[in-house]
Amino acid sequence: MDKAFITGITGQDGSYLADLLLSEGLEVYGLIRRKASASNWRIHHLAGHERMHLVNGDLMDVTSLTRSLQQIRPKYVFNLAAQSFVPFSWEAPEATSGVTAIGVLNMLEAVRMVDPAIRFYQASSSEMFGKVRETPQKRTTPFYPRSPYGVSKVYGHWMTINYRESYDMYACSGILFNHESERRGLEFVTRKVTWAAANIKRGKMESVSLGNLDAQRDWGYAPDYVQAMWLMLNREEPRDYVIATGEQSSVRELCDAAFSAVGLNYEDHVKIDPRFLRPAEVNTLLGDIGEAREQLSWQPATSFRDMITKMVEADLHRVDNNITWET
Ligand code: NAP
Ligand code: G4F
């Protein structure tokens, strides 16, 4: 039975990837770090699954990574762990660079030392395109990151390419554009808005404060995107891919979609608060998925509006059933 090691298993993508790999019959090992209050709600449903295992460690501790790989001997490593919230990367640039940049090097080194035949996936990001040099953005579009997070992702991306070219390792990156879901963290704008729409609908909140409503993103659905990760690690040759939808919406359109789903007008409930503006904004992102379509036979299955409706419905369910721990 093939084994996969996932860092970031408690996050949005890690939890969906675990669901997918278990359904594919793999033995799944997830790295978790010690936290003072650990709810790990995204993987609660996997507790007790006979092929699901949790391993203690930290991306900033190479010994824990090496030991894990030596004990598990996986065929696949998916490196999804990161400090992934862009605004926090200005507040804690060194900590962000630690896990989001050097953490990638740590994982690559552990793979190289234990078993360089392991197939390695790195979670690269469209934030690397930042102040975009061309539209739509392709694998070959030059990077111009606009935050400590984006800069860290560029480091991890090039380090992954460097290990592929230096050590002939099967190491590749998915350059994933924004992807959301019912399991998205509340601090990200989609979930912040769907959570607010559900609470306002039920009379538990009156308004929500946001920053830049004009920012445009290429938003897809996380369960579709973990499929692409899996396809990437099952090609004959390692190669990087842009994973996106090829369609764009603004934050304003997001608000409209979420509030319309509960029969409300967002203009009555959305306030602007300059505290949510960023020191340097990424105004627009739009991905070109030609290579993923042709070479991976991958394409997104879920539209932006359908995804937002699913997220609003999940948040209504949480509000109605007082499920406060899933946040
Ligand atoms: P997420 O929900 O924020 O999850 C991040 C994960 O990283 C969590 O499991 C977290 O564990 C773990 N982590 C953080 N620091 C760690 C450390 N020092 N050691 C071990 N684990 C650590 O992120 P996501 O949305 O699932 O994204 C997954 C990956 O894709 C990230 O690398 C992100 O930067 C990248 N990405 C995401 C998107 C997107 O739109 N979602 C787009 C492009 C790229 P705790 O639970 O302990 O905090
Ligand atoms: O939801 P966001 O915080 O996501 P952002 O910054 O695009 O980053 C996400 O996607 C990246 C891929 O491109 C990932 F690499 C990264 O890890 C993360 O998952 O913000 C989206 C847009 C921004 O332009 C922001 O300025 O929404 C705008 N926005 C407006 N008001 C807001 C808010 N964002 C947040 N988080 N909160 C607001 O109140």
Side-chain angles (χ1 to χ4, degrees), residues 12 82-87 123-128 149 153 176-180 184 186-192 208-219 251 254 273 276-278 281-283 285:
Q12 171 187 261
Q83 189 304 94
S84 77
F85 187 47
V86 173
S124 286
S125 165
S126 50
E127 274 290 305
M128 301 189 302
Y149 169 82
K153 282 290 179 186
L176 270 54
F177 283 59
N178 298 52
H179 46 282
E180 318 295 312
R184 189 54 144 153
L186 265 186
E187 66 274 41
F188 299 93
V189 76
T190 51
R191 183 79 200 293
K192 183 174 174 180
V208 60
S209 296
L210 300 175
N212 179 11
L213 298 193
D214 295 321
Q216 296 197 299
R217 289 291 183 275
D218 180 329
W219 272 301
V251 174
L254 155 69
D273 185 335
F276 295 109
L277 299 174
R278 299 178 179 188
E281 174 66 293
V282 172
N283 291 311
L285 288 173

Side-chain angles (χ1 to χ4, degrees), residues 65-283:
L65 303 178
T66 315
R67 188 196 59 236
S68 299
L69 296 188
Q70 273 165 344
Q71 286 170 357
I72 299 162
R73 292 286 172 172
K75 177 173 179 184
Y76 306 99
V77 168
F78 293 88
N79 185 39
L80 309 185
Q83 189 304 94
S84 77
F85 187 47
V86 173
F88 186 74
S89 75
W90 279 284
E91 288 165 352
E94 193 181 340
T96 299
S97 304
V99 61
T100 308
I102 302 300
V104 185
L105 175 62
N106 290 346
M107 199 64 251
L108 282 165
E109 264 301 285
V111 167
R112 186 175 77 86
M113 284 188 285
V114 174
D115 178 5
I118 287 172
R119 294 186 168 215
F120 175 85
Y121 174 88
Q122 167 57 18
S124 286
S125 165
S126 50
E127 274 290 305
M128 301 189 302
F129 297 122
K131 191 172 176 180
V132 297
R133 307 283 84 191
E134 67 176 332
T135 294
Q137 293 84 53
K138 305 195 282 278
R139 180 178 54 85
T140 50
T141 300
F143 299 138
Y144 193 143
R146 295 273 278 170
S147 64
Y149 169 82
V151 173
S152 301
K153 282 290 179 186
V154 171
Y155 176 94
H157 186 79
W158 279 109
M159 202 50 95
T160 303
I161 292 172
N162 185 260
Y163 270 57
R164 179 167 77 220
E165 295 178 352
S166 302
Y167 304 114
D168 199 23
M169 281 166 49
Y170 193 113
C172 57
S173 294
I175 306 175
L176 270 54
F177 283 59
N178 298 52
H179 46 282
E180 318 295 312
S181 71
E182 302 90 317
R183 297 185 195 167
R184 189 54 144 153
L186 265 186
E187 66 274 41
F188 299 93
V189 76
T190 51
R191 183 79 200 293
K192 183 174 174 180
V193 169
T194 62
W195 176 249
N199 276 277
I200 291 167
K201 178 67 179 173
R202 294 295 189 248
K204 303 210 169 186
M205 278 168 65
E206 285 183 359
S207 63
V208 60
S209 296
L210 300 175
N212 179 11
L213 298 193
D214 295 321
Q216 296 197 299
R217 289 291 183 275
D218 180 329
W219 272 301
Y221 190 44
D224 294 344
Y225 284 37
V226 298
Q227 285 276 358
M229 298 176 191
W230 177 229
L231 290 170
M232 282 180 63
L233 281 204
N234 281 290
R235 277 176 49 85
E236 205 164 310
E237 296 293 329
R239 200 173 191 285
D240 307 326
Y241 287 93
V242 160
I243 302 298
T245 68
E247 288 175 17
Q248 227 181 15
S249 308
S250 65
V251 174
R252 198 181 302 281
E253 287 164 327
L254 155 69
C255 294
D256 181 44
F259 281 84
S260 303
V262 291
L264 297 174
N265 181 349
Y266 80 90
E267 287 172 305
D268 298 334
H269 304 283
V270 171
K271 294 180 180 171
I272 303 301
D273 185 335
R275 283 182 306 150
F276 295 109
L277 299 174
R278 299 178 179 188
E281 174 66 293
V282 172
N283 291 311

Side-chain angles (χ1 to χ4, degrees), residues 35-46:
K35 285 178 288 201
S37 52
S39 86
N40 296 339
W41 60 273
R42 295 183 181 90
I43 52 170
H44 263 178
H45 62 289
L46 298 178

Side-chain angles (χ1 to χ4, degrees), residues 20-33:
L20 173 68
L21 299 184
L22 289 169
S23 77
E24 294 283 343
L26 276 78
E27 192 95 23
V28 175
Y29 294 79
L31 183 77
I32 52 165
R33 57 179 175 158

